[in-house]
Amino acid sequence: EIKDAEIPVIVIPGNHDINNEDACSYDGAEVAPVAHISPDDFKKIYADFGYKDAVSYDSASLSYVYQMDPSTRIMMLDSCQYSPKAVVGGMIREATYDWMKEQFEDAAAKNMKVITVSHHNVLDESEVYTDDCTIEHSERLVEMLNDENVLFHLSGHLHVQHYMKSEDS
């Protein structure tokens, strides 16, 4: 139905998707180990889900910018740690922050809004999942999102995290 409605679907990796030594397949109750995939494999597999249509790619991660409409860009932030193997916790790489700054400047010069998305949460919001769900040093990311007037951020679990500075932002 999504394809028939021509609704674009874009993806960003989750913490179990790349270099996961515990990757397996399921056939009913049968579980079998499978080969894990690399970052390049992920980008190839999901080329039709954002990567091939990106207006910019981060060379330090699988982050990219997708043009949603003429006035809105979606910055897909790869918050996963998968080198040399996958770990649960999230972080934004130093070089990715530099790339993000460039992307925010480009969007501002073109008078575009930016929505950001990551797999890991930006804010501590769960009493159940207290370990590894929030991006390490997330206060830096929160500050950048506020400074760049990002109206909201979506995490992989589809929690909207609101960043409006004031009522008239």
Side-chain angles (χ1 to χ4, degrees), residues 88-141:
V88 175
M91 65 169 276
I92 301 294
R93 293 156 190 79
E94 188 64 35
T96 300
Y97 278 111
D98 295 337
W99 171 82
M100 290 171 63
K101 185 74 175 156
E102 291 171 7
Q103 298 313 305
F104 282 126
E105 288 170 0
D106 184 60
K110 295 174 179 168
N111 201 27
M112 293 185 189
K113 297 179 195 119
V114 178
I115 297 167
T116 55
V117 177
S118 67
H119 177 73
H120 294 85
N121 296 332
V122 176
L123 303 174
D124 290 328
E125 62 174 304
S126 173
E127 293 179 16
V128 177
Y129 300 106
T130 57
D131 295 328
D132 297 325
C133 292
T134 305
I135 294 172
E136 291 176 20
H137 312 292
S138 61
E139 59 280 347
R140 179 176 180 191
L141 181 57

Side-chain angles (χ1 to χ4, degrees), residues 16-24 33-39 41 82 84-86:
H16 300 289
D17 293 336
I18 298 171
N19 291 336
N20 182 355
E21 294 175 346
D22 296 323
C24 42
V34 296
H36 55 78
I37 66 169
S38 71
D41 294 334
Y82 40 76
K85 67 178 188 169

Side-chain angles (χ1 to χ4, degrees), residues 10 32 44 50 53 65 86:
I10 56 178
K44 287 176 190 167
D53 296 321
V65 173

Side-chain angles (χ1 to χ4, degrees), residues 2-167:
I2 291 172
K3 186 176 182 179
D4 290 344
E6 297 182 8
I7 297 170
V9 175
I10 56 178
V11 299
I12 198 71
N15 53 297
H16 300 289
D17 293 336
I18 298 171
N19 291 336
N20 182 355
E21 294 175 346
D22 296 323
C24 42
S25 67
Y26 298 89
D27 185 7
E30 224 174 285
V31 180
V34 296
H36 55 78
I37 66 169
S38 71
D40 287 339
D41 294 334
F42 186 91
K43 195 172 180 179
K44 287 176 190 167
I45 291 166
Y46 294 103
D48 290 336
F49 299 95
Y51 285 102
K52 78 174 184 184
D53 296 321
V55 296
S56 178
Y57 301 97
D58 174 31
S59 62
S61 72
L62 290 175
S63 300
Y64 63 97
V65 173
Y66 178 84
Q67 189 75 40
M68 187 173 92
D69 62 37
S71 65
T72 310
R73 287 185 170 175
I74 302 176
M75 187 181 296
M76 302 295 286
L77 300 174
D78 178 7
S79 62
C80 296
Q81 299 181 79
Y82 40 76
S83 183
K85 67 178 188 169
V87 298
V88 175
M91 65 169 276
I92 301 294
R93 293 156 190 79
E94 188 64 35
T96 300
Y97 278 111
D98 295 337
W99 171 82
M100 290 171 63
K101 185 74 175 156
E102 291 171 7
Q103 298 313 305
F104 282 126
E105 288 170 0
D106 184 60
K110 295 174 179 168
N111 201 27
M112 293 185 189
K113 297 179 195 119
V114 178
I115 297 167
T116 55
V117 177
S118 67
H119 177 73
H120 294 85
N121 296 332
V122 176
L123 303 174
D124 290 328
E125 62 174 304
S126 173
E127 293 179 16
V128 177
Y129 300 106
T130 57
D131 295 328
D132 297 325
C133 292
T134 305
I135 294 172
E136 291 176 20
H137 312 292
S138 61
E139 59 280 347
R140 179 176 180 191
L141 181 57
V142 169
E143 183 178 337
M144 178 181 263
L145 298 180
N146 278 324
D147 289 349
E148 299 297 339
N149 295 313
V150 172
L151 297 180
F152 64 90
H153 176 87
L154 298 172
S155 72
H157 298 284
L158 300 180
H159 299 275
V160 175
Q161 298 174 347
H162 196 260
Y163 290 101
M164 292 185 79
K165 285 185 171 184
S166 66
E167 292 296 317

